[in-house]
Amino acid sequence: MEGERKIIIVNWKWKIFQDRHINADALSKEEFHEFSVDIDKGKGIFFDEYAVEPSYLCPDALLVATSIYNEGPQTKTLLYALIDKYTKDGNQVMIFLHRSNFFEDPDLQELMDRYKSRIAKCFLFAFGRDYIYYSTQRSGFLNDTGGFFRGRDLISKEKVLTFDPVKQQVMQPFFDRVWQYYQTEFEIKILNLKESVFDCFLPLMLPDSPMQFSRHQLFEALKDKEGEGLLFRIKSFLGKYDLLDQIKDFEKKYALEEELRVISKLEKEHRESYVFDDCILNLEHEEQNGKHLVKEVYDQTKEQLDRLLFKTAKKNFKKQDLHQLSASMEELIKVVPGEID
Amino acid sequence: MALQRAPIAARGAQRIVFKIPGFTEFGEILHDRLHGILYHIEELTGKFMLITNFFDREFERIARLEAEGVMNLEALIYAGTIRQRQILERDKPLYYIKRLKAQGRQWDKEAWLAKRDANWLELLNRPIPADMEKVDTFDFFEEFRQGKVDEHSIKIGNLRDYFAALDNILQENEYPIVSDYFDIEKDKYIGIPILGMGLFQGIVWIIFPDELTKKLSKPSRIRRVMKLFQMEYDNLAMNWDIKGDNITRESLFRLAVAQVKPENDIQTYINIKKYYEISAYYHQERVKQNDSVLARVREQHLQTAIITILLDSYAHNISAHSLTTLSYWFRERAEFQHEEGRELIKQLGRDNNPIITYTKLFPNRSLARELYPLFKFLLEKGAFWSGITRQTNFTGKVSSMYNVLWYDFVNNPLYLGTIANTEKVLKVHLNITIFEREERPEGELFKNKKIVKKNAQGVPLDGTFASVNLVNFSPIQPLDEKSDSPFVEKGTLYEELSAELKTYRAYFPGGVIGKHAFFTLLENEIRNVKHYRGKTLADIQRNGLILNLSIHTRPINSEANRLSPEPELFKVGVWLKHPADITENLLIRRIQGLDADIVIEESFRPKLGGNFQDKICASVLIMSAFNKVQSQSSAIGKIYYPWIKTASYRIRKDQSVLQEFEVSHRKYKATADSAFEASFKSEAGQGYLKKYFHIWRGAEILDVSNSEQKVEDPDLDSSARYHFVYLAPQIQDKHRSLKASGLIRIIMDAVQPRSRAEAYQVWLKSWLKTKEESCVLDFRQGDTLVGRIIYTPESIRFFNETQVADQDMDDDAYVRYLAIPTRLNINIEHGSHPSVAPDKLNYRSTGELINRFCQGKSMDKLEAMPVADCYELFEGLISRICIFDRRIYNRLYTGDQGVIANDNKEVADKLALQRARLDLYREELHLDFQNEVHDSFDAIRNKGFMHYHFVVLHLSFIEGMQKLNGKPGETYREDGIVEFIDDHILKGETAENVADNFILIITTGRGRMAWWEKIRENEAYANFTTFRPIESILGAVEDALQKPDDIDLKYNLVKLFFGS
């Protein structure tokens, strides 16, 4: 793995393609077919490649920029043709899909089902709140408007150049940081969630606390981290936002969408991604890639957490249930690929 | 008194020019006065009596005769009879008593009075027409009037002779009365012609005892008596001008006196011409005083009439048609939404009204998108009403025709789609025709050809702009709450017409007031659907009503020798594009109807109907005020009164030539009937009936001194329609009066600016609070700088995203940038983002930032911004506004409306976010919304209101404020506005010292103007104080919040306050 070429494909609102964004009407049926069959013909038209300044971690990395909007089978075929180009032996590919290009969880699922182990990770990103943007953690390379960040750092006022227009290459350490972060992002997300959850539940787990507790007590405890949208983050971890039918569950969906809006707002404020939609899909993707353990532990953790907070009619639980949940989450963090073993 | 002569031949028809309402009472008073004059001035002692036969000018009596078709209306009247009897019966009837005594009988007063009642009753107000049998009094009067007899005909006569034969009704009844007091055998009479207002007004008969014969034989005395009588008639006539209903009529005196014929012998005899010459000043002043009373009364009646006429428009268009329909549609929907009601509604077949159909089609979408424009429309109608009562329009607003027609007119489908529901028409198409020009053949008065404009791609700009469809509407794509209404469809020529209409910037006086005057003209045309019948109506019901508008530019005075290079007006045509039978009579009726006063002269009742609504609204658009609707003699009125032209278009086989027959009131009046008929002949038949009116074009720079040379009459313009008013050094004394009239962007410089950019450069130097300082505006999207404006007193420049980065990456440039002393960071975010950030200003692609300033692109994609636009955006963002009005504040912050967070964190968070947004507006937009809280007011007062460019205060807030040096509980009254300004705004400064970059705006929703009267009395205060209706301010706020676009919020307000 270490020797593989690292490639990041960013499907975004790239300004370089601002008059050539691919939507359902951008090309004729014949053109879609032509480009899908021979994707190289589209280079410079709707996608481009940028070299990356060599580093120890990424000596020969590549950034692929494209602007394809998810507007039906033809656009998706074209996107797949582009991904096909890079998912070859010897390449390690991460894909970033812009939510505003009309990509959602099911699209991510479809993509991972299709490519299985041929892609390393796949993410949804948007609204300047993800790590890939420079401004969130002053680490990524994208700006907010369809290009590479260039200008003064907002805090330090130092000059920042994430892309060298003369050499036409993405600058380091920005590419490395993005690669590293996203490689372990799920682990970090789950770790952060665990720490927040057990900060709240800790008083119920202490030796001198009662042996039993109620669900109500759990919810009361979670209120401590309301400012961090903790309950909504848990629901996202449990996939509560992904399961409802658009028409049948209209009213429930509306309320849940409200909650998602709160999370988005917090993400922007805290400059941190909280939503687990792409994370869960990637965990399931691990299973498809033969790493059954990750999926098993995730399912086990999800089951325990869901049982405590939502699932069963039972409203009283044992202290031991919380310890069990803690252990499961700990295990999940260990089995999810990342730095913590 | 009656003279007898041989009967004369009947005259032809005689009309009465001057009528005097309450003439009976006039006669009574004049009789009394003339009697008093003879007694007091001529010192006639002993018993004498008058019989006054005046020329009948009684208004109602003449009107009645006219209605009965009587041809000859002239008559004298037995006037003053009641007073005559009272004067006479102050004394005992000596001769009657004598006669009784001779018969040995006692005088029984009651019996005598009862007996005479019958005689007096016969004489009371009895007309003496020219053809009265055996009575020639009228002819005697007529001979004087015609100059056929002179003063020598005024002779003393014997009563004995007069009563020699009692063979007419007058003598039969006069004799018993006269004989009670006079000796018929000995006593005498004399008939003296009376003149008044220069004209012959009747005969005054003096009956007197024989011993006065000598006294009344002197010609000099008779001459003097004639003069005295004439003066008394004149004085009473002038007093009469302001008596009772006469107060509603202009004084006739001046007109009557002008008709004096000095060649008449009697007039010469009393030297009446000379008298009027030497008394000219006196009469002029009296008439002026009377007319001033009339003017005030008339103004009030006019205002009432305007309100009544426009109220009729509301009652008709809005209430009777639209709201009535909507009311039952919504009631049916309410029933439909309940299970029981639903079955009932279904059984009755009433489940297909458009609202129910909408609910069935889009179960997850409320009607909010359709309802809020309706509520906004009604809110603005409120401003329109209060504008009528307020009269004064404080400048106006320049808007693009696209915005007005698309957002405010078409996108109000519930209203527009229901105006014609009575005729079962629920689909309205708005067609727009852009004319390039109109051509009138030499010598042709009425016919002209109009040439349709083509756009750059050669597409003729004539077609459907949009349709409102409440019948067979369907969603083109999935709808959410923010989607456009399914009731509104873009027309086949929407894109082409939009592009053109966006460049048409029209000036609407009073903002919403002018806009709704415009809408009323359109609504009335839609209501004309009621005139269609049969197949045409069936076609309209099936395919929709086509309301066609045409727009082209025209010079204010097309006949002037020198025309302005930029035409001043938009000429707007409106018609229903459905064939109708066009006749000459139809056109004439309309033009004559428009010419008539909106008030019935005699009763001062308003004339109701669509024509008069149109007339008032069209007058507002060009005269900028309601009360100038009858202003025919103004410079503009001389050309445009009655503000609307009527026109017809005959449908011909060859439709490539748009020939119209267009009738202005002025040309119609100057054309003989036969010539008009001949000219129209070829235009009769199936066609369209049109109306044309005018709207001022928004313009750039008015050079006041130059305009006086440029056009023949500088009054043929509206200074408020200009973005800037330029005053050359030699006429800078006009600055104050222009500012007091509500204009703000007045620039004074040695050199006249040639462009908007140059004008801004001069203007901003005086407008900015930080003089001589440079300033930078940074626009940040997320954390990326997407644009920058750097202003210096000498220049302005927009830097695009790449240029900003280049500048920031260049150390020298960055240091220079950091050294700019005044800076504003504007964090913007596209409004489609899923959450509202406390530190980001939203913008939308439909807003002004994108549409107007960034040429339709987001700012990060903008290459360059024109200098003039850059200045305007800079002015809009840098201008400082502070608003104290709870209605506006409550729209932005719900925490002061009883929404209490208590322990509800969600509510508390939302309130915190609202407060954060208010802070954001304050910091990044210089837009300070304040509640009507005294502590907040005091805090800003202490900081100084002069810090702001615009301070907006709700009048009621001022009135609730404790007077600074008043007793406890004593507050400022509306008419104490000057004291309030002194105490709180000026704080010791004088009004004369207030700089040109401070404007105080008073706002109220009511038509109260007492405060303005006080301000207007003092030009120094009027210089910086003005008014905006609360509905306009709320409208500006609401339009922006609906998008949501915070940049629009600021820009809309600044535009509203500047008036352009």
Side-chain angles (χ1 to χ4, degrees):
Chain A
M1 292 290 276
E2 279 305 311
E4 290 178 323
R5 188 184 196 197
K6 296 179 176 60
I7 299 172
I8 292 180
I9 300 175
V10 180
N11 185 22
W12 191 36
K13 52 174 183 180
W14 288 98
K15 213 183 269 185
I16 43 165
F17 302 122
Q18 69 181 42
D19 300 322
R20 287 167 285 155
H21 287 169
I22 301 297
N23 56 29
D25 302 324
L27 302 172
S28 66
K29 203 173 167 184
E30 291 72 30
E31 285 171 323
F32 268 115
H33 179 70
E34 191 184 346
F35 285 125
S36 300
V37 172
D38 187 357
I39 195 71
D40 287 333
K41 281 188 177 172
K43 193 173 176 190
I45 297 173
F46 61 87
F47 80 93
D48 231 328
E49 292 175 357
Y50 296 107
V52 177
E53 186 182 16
S55 68
Y56 175 74
L57 180 69
C58 305
D60 182 26
L62 191 68
L63 181 92
V64 179
T66 187
S67 284
I68 298 173
Y69 283 70
N70 187 15
E71 286 188 1
Q74 287 180 322
T75 55
K76 206 167 254 180
T77 305
L78 193 67
L79 177 68
Y80 291 160
L82 179 68
I83 297 171
D84 286 343
K85 175 176 163 63
Y86 297 100
T87 49
K88 295 174 184 163
D89 286 347
N91 288 351
Q92 203 179 350
V93 179
M94 270 190 199
I95 300 170
F96 288 81
L97 300 173
H98 191 215
R99 290 177 194 267
S100 300
N101 287 28
F102 313 129
F103 287 97
E104 293 176 350
D105 302 346
D107 304 303
L108 217 63
Q109 179 70 59
E110 189 183 315
L111 203 137
M112 286 188 287
D113 287 348
R114 181 185 174 97
Y115 288 99
K116 299 194 167 64
S117 62
R118 288 193 287 151
I119 52 173
K121 291 270 168 56
C122 189
F123 303 91
L124 294 171
F125 74 106
F127 309 128
R129 67 184 185 222
D130 295 277
Y131 187 89
I132 194 169
Y133 295 99
Y134 173 79
S135 49
T136 47
Q137 301 289 329
R138 299 158 71 203
S139 297
F141 46 74
L142 299 184
N143 68 9
D144 299 89
T145 60
F148 295 102
F149 187 88
R150 184 168 77 107
R152 296 275 167 172
D153 183 275
L154 204 58
I155 298 161
S156 69
K157 306 296 178 197
E158 284 171 0
K159 284 193 268 191
V160 177
L161 189 68
T162 64
F163 180 80
D164 185 336
V166 180
K167 293 182 184 167
Q168 286 286 298
Q169 65 179 13
V170 182
M171 301 298 286
Q172 294 292 12
F174 308 102
F175 188 92
D176 279 359
R177 284 180 189 160
V178 169
W179 186 271
Q180 275 183 310
Y181 176 85
Y182 282 102
Q183 209 167 30
T184 60
E185 192 213 8
F186 304 143
E187 184 187 53
I188 298 165
K189 250 186 194 175
I190 297 164
L191 176 66
N192 288 345
L193 178 72
K194 189 214 160 202
E195 285 185 355
S196 294
V197 166
F198 285 96
D199 273 358
C200 298
F201 292 166
L202 186 63
L204 302 171
M205 298 166 75
L206 293 174
D208 55 348
S209 64
M211 293 305 289
Q212 286 206 327
F213 60 89
S214 67
R215 180 175 283 165
H216 176 73
Q217 281 175 289
L218 288 180
F219 277 101
E220 281 298 306
L222 288 174
K223 276 188 179 171
D224 287 348
K225 300 264 180 186
E226 212 166 47
E228 293 172 19
L230 185 54
L231 183 61
F232 302 152
R233 284 159 62 193
I234 293 171
K235 285 169 91 169
S236 175
F237 179 77
L238 296 176
K240 299 280 181 196
Y241 300 118
D242 314 321
L243 305 171
L244 296 172
D245 181 76
Q246 183 75 29
I247 306 296
K248 216 168 62 186
D249 303 312
F250 178 78
E251 282 186 20
K252 276 189 212 165
K253 184 104 182 157
Y254 179 77
L256 292 175
E257 277 170 359
E258 273 294 296
E259 294 176 6
L260 276 177
R261 270 191 271 274
V262 174
I263 302 183
S264 306
K265 189 172 152 241
L266 291 169
E267 284 179 327
K268 278 163 84 176
E269 275 172 35
H270 300 167
R271 294 168 182 264
E272 190 180 339
S273 173
Y274 288 142
V275 186
F276 282 89
D277 52 355
D278 49 2
C279 178
I280 295 165
L281 289 170
N282 277 279
L283 291 178
E284 285 166 356
H285 178 57
E286 297 287 337
E287 186 190 25
Q288 290 171 349
N289 293 343
K291 296 177 181 172
H292 304 290
L293 184 61
V294 178
K295 177 74 164 69
E296 261 178 45
V297 180
Y298 167 65
D299 285 343
Q300 174 190 306
T301 312
K302 191 169 104 170
E303 174 63 26
Q304 287 169 1
L305 190 56
D306 203 10
R307 192 177 72 88
L308 285 172
L309 290 171
F310 305 105
K311 212 171 177 182
T312 58
K314 190 179 167 190
K315 294 205 173 141
N316 288 306
F317 305 94
K318 294 175 189 160
K319 193 193 283 187
Q320 192 190 338
D321 295 333
L322 279 178
H323 286 288
Q324 226 168 32
L325 173 66
S326 173
S328 295
M329 287 191 94
E330 195 66 39
E331 194 185 352
L332 181 63
I333 292 160
K334 281 181 184 164
V335 297
V336 165
E339 291 177 348
I340 305 164
D341 290 323
Chain B
M1 210 71 178
L3 286 182
Q4 289 171 305
R5 289 208 183 160
I8 59 165
R11 289 182 171 73
Q14 295 288 334
R15 318 307 295 179
I16 311 291
V17 179
F18 305 126
K19 300 165 200 170
I20 300 179
F23 187 70
T24 306
E25 194 186 351
F26 180 91
E28 295 292 340
I29 296 172
L30 186 59
H31 182 103
D32 186 75
R33 192 74 196 131
L34 299 184
H35 188 275
I37 288 286
L38 289 177
Y39 182 83
H40 186 63
I41 307 292
E42 296 305 325
E43 296 179 346
L44 291 191
T45 51
K47 192 69 182 174
F48 69 92
M49 72 176 281
L50 303 184
I51 292 175
T52 43
N53 297 149
F54 295 145
F55 190 88
D56 186 10
R57 298 193 180 278
E58 175 58 56
F59 195 96
E60 285 175 9
R61 203 157 41 224
I62 294 167
R64 196 173 59 242
L65 292 173
E66 278 177 332
E68 287 168 7
V70 176
M71 296 295 283
N72 190 357
L73 300 171
E74 287 195 334
L76 293 176
I77 194 166
Y78 216 96
T81 321
I82 295 170
R83 192 64 196 133
Q84 181 189 14
R85 184 180 185 185
Q86 286 167 350
I87 293 169
L88 205 58
E89 290 178 356
R90 280 198 297 232
D91 299 318
K92 288 179 183 174
L94 291 179
Y95 288 91
Y96 178 76
I97 294 168
K98 258 187 201 173
R99 285 199 297 274
L100 286 178
K101 274 189 181 169
Q103 294 168 16
R105 289 159 60 192
Q106 289 291 314
W107 179 52
D108 177 350
K109 188 178 179 182
E110 296 307 315
W112 172 72
L113 287 173
K115 200 173 170 183
R116 290 289 169 265
D117 279 350
N119 305 117
W120 285 111
L121 199 62
E122 283 293 341
L123 296 174
L124 183 68
N125 298 325
R126 175 171 285 282
I128 311 171
D131 53 359
M132 192 175 186
E133 290 275 315
K134 297 179 180 176
V135 175
D136 288 333
T137 304
F138 192 94
D139 297 293
F140 182 56
F141 158 78
E142 183 65 7
E143 283 174 357
F144 277 118
R145 187 164 68 162
Q146 297 292 334
K148 290 177 183 167
V149 292
D150 57 18
E151 69 275 13
H152 303 297
S153 303
I154 304 170
K155 287 178 180 165
I156 291 174
N158 294 312
L159 287 177
R160 182 184 59 232
D161 297 337
Y162 176 73
F163 287 118
L166 300 178
D167 61 354
N168 68 58
I169 188 99
L170 298 179
Q171 286 172 328
E172 281 168 15
N173 290 289
E174 284 168 349
Y175 182 79
I177 294 167
V178 174
S179 65
D180 285 353
Y181 288 93
F182 294 93
D183 183 342
I184 301 294
E185 290 304 314
K186 285 167 62 186
D187 292 345
K188 304 286 193 296
Y189 74 92
I190 187 169
I192 296 175
I194 181 168
L195 287 93
M197 299 195 290
L199 304 172
F200 282 87
Q201 299 291 359
I203 307 286
V204 179
W205 306 97
I206 308 170
I207 298 167
F208 53 92
D210 184 40
E211 48 270 33
L212 292 177
T213 303
K214 195 178 171 190
K215 208 170 192 175
L216 288 170
S217 299
K218 286 184 182 171
S220 60
R221 181 180 295 272
I222 295 303
R223 192 172 165 200
R224 188 169 66 238
V225 166
M226 284 172 71
K227 286 183 177 179
L228 288 169
F229 281 5
Q230 172 251 316
M231 287 169 70
E232 285 307 318
Y233 194 106
D234 281 359
N235 279 332
L236 187 61
M238 282 189 285
N239 292 343
W240 216 250
D241 278 344
I242 52 170
K243 188 198 171 291
D245 284 348
N246 291 345
I247 209 153
T248 62
R249 297 174 182 86
E250 214 167 301
S251 175
L252 296 173
F253 198 85
R254 191 172 15 218
L255 193 58
V257 168
Q259 295 197 354
V260 171
K261 293 174 187 167
E263 69 271 15
N264 185 294
D265 286 340
I266 294 295
Q267 287 172 319
T268 311
Y269 181 58
I270 63 167
N271 211 356
I272 198 163
K273 194 184 176 204
K274 190 72 183 170
Y275 168 72
Y276 283 127
E277 277 172 14
I278 61 171
S279 305
Y281 175 75
Y282 168 74
H283 289 138
Q284 188 183 311
E285 286 304 302
R286 285 290 311 271
V287 168
K288 204 194 290 178
Q289 281 175 18
N290 290 351
D291 284 352
S292 72
V293 174
L294 166 71
R296 296 192 72 158
V297 173
R298 190 180 167 76
E299 199 180 325
Q300 188 56 47
H301 278 288
L302 190 68
Q303 187 174 333
T304 309
I306 292 166
I307 294 169
T308 312
I309 291 167
L310 292 181
L311 189 67
D312 188 45
S313 137
Y314 178 88
H316 195 235
N317 297 346
I318 300 175
S319 189
H321 291 283
S322 192
L323 294 185
T324 305
T325 304
L326 291 172
S327 157
Y328 77 75
W329 282 357
F330 274 92
R331 190 172 49 75
E332 284 177 352
R333 189 182 82 143
E335 287 173 34
F336 182 79
Q337 284 178 321
H338 289 283
E339 258 179 51
E340 287 173 19
R342 183 176 304 163
E343 283 312 307
L344 195 67
I345 291 272
K346 278 183 179 172
Q347 282 171 23
L348 290 169
R350 299 204 326 256
D351 60 336
N352 291 315
N353 86 40
I355 304 298
I356 294 178
T357 307
Y358 181 107
T359 310
K360 289 178 190 169
L361 273 174
F362 316 113
N364 296 326
R365 185 176 147 116
S366 71
L367 274 152
R369 179 64 189 75
E370 285 75 22
L371 283 171
Y372 86 73
L374 177 68
F375 294 140
K376 185 185 166 210
F377 174 84
L378 295 173
L379 171 94
E380 289 184 348
K381 279 285 178 205
F384 186 55
W385 298 119
S386 60
I388 303 168
T389 54
R390 193 180 297 118
Q391 293 293 346
T392 311
N393 268 329
F394 297 82
T395 74
K397 190 178 173 191
V398 174
S399 302
S400 83
M401 278 293 203
Y402 170 79
N403 280 355
V404 169
L405 288 171
W406 175 248
Y407 290 114
D408 295 333
F409 189 66
V410 172
N411 271 284
N412 185 8
L414 290 182
Y415 175 61
L416 205 55
T418 50
I419 303 180
N421 181 53
T422 310
E423 288 75 20
K424 298 188 170 55
V425 177
L426 294 170
K427 197 192 283 188
V428 178
H429 308 286
L430 178 61
N431 271 25
I432 293 181
T433 311
I434 307 289
F435 290 130
E436 189 177 307
R437 63 183 188 282
E438 64 178 61
E439 290 172 352
R440 194 183 301 277
E442 185 78 28
E444 178 57 65
L445 286 176
F446 303 108
K447 288 175 192 158
N448 65 34
K449 285 177 189 163
K450 299 204 168 72
I451 289 87
V452 173
K453 187 174 179 179
K454 291 179 180 169
N455 69 5
Q457 288 71 44
V459 179
L461 297 173
D462 179 17
T464 308
F465 176 63
S467 302
V468 167
N469 180 359
L470 305 192
V471 190
N472 42 5
F473 55 96
S474 60
I476 296 163
Q477 55 193 19
L479 292 177
D480 60 28
E481 283 292 333
K482 296 296 284 183
S483 303
D484 287 342
S485 172
F487 291 146
V488 179
E489 298 160 7
K490 289 177 179 170
T492 48
L493 214 63
Y494 171 83
E495 296 300 337
E496 291 82 353
L497 288 167
S498 299
E500 186 74 11
L501 291 172
K502 279 175 185 171
T503 66
Y504 285 27
R505 302 185 72 74
Y507 169 71
F508 292 94
V512 292
I513 293 167
K515 189 172 73 179
H516 277 268
F518 177 46
F519 288 169
T520 304
L521 282 154
L522 305 188
E523 293 155 22
N524 283 347
E525 195 60 38
I526 295 176
R527 281 301 316 145
N528 280 338
V529 66
K530 65 178 180 278
H531 297 302
Y532 288 93
R533 302 276 184 279
K535 275 175 77 178
T536 312
L537 179 60
D539 176 63
I540 293 171
Q541 288 165 339
R542 193 168 48 250
N543 300 316
L545 180 76
I546 304 170
L547 174 70
N548 209 124
L549 253 74
S550 71
I551 307 173
H552 63 296
T553 58
R554 291 292 291 162
I556 181 78
N557 183 2
S558 56
E559 290 167 10
N561 294 329
R562 278 168 300 176
L563 298 180
S564 165
E566 277 296 314
E568 292 88 351
L569 298 170
F570 285 121
K571 183 169 173 179
V572 180
V574 186
W575 66 95
L576 294 182
K577 200 171 179 182
H578 300 280
D581 190 20
I582 308 295
T583 63
E584 184 190 352
N585 190 34
L586 191 64
L587 258 67
I588 292 176
R589 261 204 336 258
R590 201 188 236 193
I591 201 73
Q592 286 180 339
L594 286 165
D595 180 35
D597 198 318
I598 65 162
V599 175
I600 298 167
E601 193 187 340
E602 293 79 17
S603 61
F604 262 58
R605 281 202 302 272
K607 290 180 187 160
L608 301 178
N611 264 357
F612 294 104
Q613 293 163 16
D614 282 353
K615 182 177 175 180
I616 294 169
C617 292
S619 81
V620 168
L621 289 171
I622 196 164
M623 296 297 282
S624 301
F626 284 100
N627 59 355
K628 293 184 180 161
V629 60
Q630 289 304 131
S631 180
Q632 302 186 47
S633 54
S634 62
I636 297 175
K638 281 177 188 160
I639 302 174
Y640 287 94
Y641 181 85
W643 324 115
I644 286 183
K645 284 182 177 184
T646 190
S648 67
Y649 167 78
R650 188 180 161 201
I651 302 168
R652 292 175 165 87
K653 277 185 186 167
D654 176 11
Q655 295 202 20
S656 60
V657 178
L658 291 175
Q659 178 175 297
E660 291 186 346
F661 190 82
E662 196 178 305
V663 190
S664 77
H665 171 251
R666 191 169 47 141
K667 285 178 183 157
Y668 170 71
K669 273 177 86 168
T671 306
D673 289 351
S674 55
F676 185 82
E677 190 183 337
S679 181
F680 178 76
K681 207 169 178 181
S682 61
E683 304 303 309
Q686 288 287 292
Y688 309 130
L689 184 64
K690 303 185 172 188
K691 64 187 176 194
Y692 279 104
F693 53 91
H694 297 82
I695 302 178
W696 291 107
R697 291 175 75 200
E700 294 295 329
I701 305 163
L702 171 66
D703 179 352
V704 175
S705 55
N706 193 29
S707 74
E708 285 171 0
Q709 300 152 12
K710 186 183 65 186
V711 291
E712 288 179 346
D713 186 345
D715 290 337
L716 289 176
D717 205 347
S718 167
S719 51
R721 73 188 181 97
Y722 289 91
H723 203 76
F724 290 101
V725 173
Y726 167 71
L727 287 178
Q730 67 272 19
I731 53 164
Q732 289 186 359
D733 54 332
K734 287 192 174 181
H735 177 252
R736 282 222 148 165
S737 61
L738 283 171
K739 268 210 87 186
S741 72
L743 297 175
I744 297 174
R745 287 197 201 93
I746 303 170
I747 49 178
M748 299 185 289
D749 201 41
V751 182
Q752 185 205 339
R754 289 163 302 173
S755 64
R756 178 185 274 225
E758 283 186 15
Y760 258 120
Q761 194 209 342
V762 180
W763 159 246
L764 284 172
K765 284 181 197 171
S766 60
W767 181 247
L768 292 184
K769 296 281 176 181
T770 48
K771 303 268 185 291
E772 305 303 322
E773 274 192 4
S774 300
C775 182
V776 61
L777 303 187
D778 273 336
F779 296 89
R780 203 178 284 276
Q781 194 164 314
D783 284 321
T784 307
L785 279 165
V786 292
R788 174 175 290 163
I789 290 176
I790 294 184
Y791 164 85
T792 73
E794 303 314 320
S795 66
I796 197 161
R797 186 182 161 191
F798 172 79
F799 294 78
N800 66 27
E801 186 183 345
T802 309
Q803 291 164 335
V804 171
D806 289 345
Q807 197 176 40
D808 286 359
M809 298 298 273
D810 176 332
D811 288 335
D812 292 341
Y814 188 65
V815 167
R816 283 197 300 277
Y817 154 77
L818 287 179
I820 297 173
T822 308
R823 53 186 58 244
L824 201 58
N825 280 306
I826 299 171
N827 291 290
I828 55 173
E829 185 166 78
H830 194 271
S832 63
H833 272 234
S835 62
V836 180
D839 57 351
K840 300 277 192 301
L841 297 165
N842 290 119
Y843 69 91
R844 291 307 298 261
S845 51
T846 51
E848 295 288 340
L849 179 68
I850 299 301
N851 256 335
R852 174 150 167 61
F853 297 105
C854 296
Q855 299 137 37
K857 302 168 185 165
S858 58
M859 190 178 271
D860 61 275
K861 295 186 179 75
L862 183 65
E863 286 295 321
M865 190 184 289
V867 174
D869 287 356
C870 199
Y871 270 125
E872 190 176 342
L873 178 60
F874 177 73
E875 179 199 55
L877 293 171
I878 208 81
S879 294
R880 300 171 190 170
I881 298 173
C882 177
I883 301 177
F884 276 92
D885 189 295
R886 66 169 182 273
R887 294 158 297 186
I888 300 165
Y889 185 80
N890 287 345
R891 181 64 186 83
L892 297 157
Y893 182 65
T894 51
D896 288 353
Q897 296 176 69
V899 179
I900 301 162
N902 284 337
D903 293 334
N904 187 331
K905 192 167 181 308
E906 198 183 337
V907 175
D909 284 350
K910 283 180 179 167
L911 292 181
L913 178 63
Q914 289 176 8
R915 281 195 302 273
R917 305 272 307 157
L918 288 176
D919 290 341
L920 179 69
Y921 294 154
R922 197 172 296 127
E923 284 158 21
E924 296 194 2
L925 288 180
H926 287 329
L927 180 55
D928 193 350
F929 292 105
Q930 293 283 347
N931 199 3
E932 294 174 20
V933 174
H934 296 293
D935 288 348
S936 312
F937 182 82
D938 289 343
I940 290 179
R941 179 186 181 275
N942 293 338
K943 196 167 94 181
F945 282 108
M946 295 299 156
H947 167 77
Y948 297 96
H949 292 97
F950 297 105
V951 170
V952 181
L953 297 176
H954 181 196
L955 185 59
S956 298
F957 179 49
I958 294 173
E959 289 175 312
M961 220 176 274
Q962 166 70 42
K963 253 190 185 182
L964 206 59
N965 297 312
K967 296 173 195 157
E970 191 184 359
T971 54
Y972 293 98
R973 289 153 45 106
E974 186 185 350
D975 56 7
I977 187 79
V978 170
E979 191 182 355
F980 167 81
I981 292 172
D982 285 340
D983 289 350
H984 294 282
I985 308 295
L986 300 180
K987 294 196 299 178
E989 282 294 325
T990 60
E992 285 76 8
N993 286 340
V994 173
D996 283 344
N997 60 5
F998 174 77
I999 305 293
L1000 174 65
I1001 296 170
I1002 304 296
T1003 185
T1004 168
R1006 290 184 275 173
R1008 296 165 58 191
M1009 290 305 283
W1011 68 271
W1012 175 246
E1013 294 304 319
K1014 291 287 164 195
I1015 295 287
R1016 202 165 53 174
E1017 285 169 12
N1018 192 331
E1019 202 175 67
Y1021 289 81
N1023 225 358
F1024 64 85
T1025 310
T1026 187
F1027 168 82
R1028 293 290 179 274
I1030 182 62
E1031 294 87 350
S1032 293
I1033 304 177
L1034 276 171
V1037 170
E1038 202 55 49
D1039 281 351
L1041 295 183
Q1042 287 299 340
K1043 279 181 185 170
D1045 191 318
D1046 295 321
I1047 305 296
D1048 266 18
L1049 176 66
K1050 178 72 185 300
Y1051 180 75
N1052 288 354
L1053 286 170
V1054 170
K1055 200 166 147 61
L1056 173 71
F1057 296 159
F1058 274 122
S1060 64

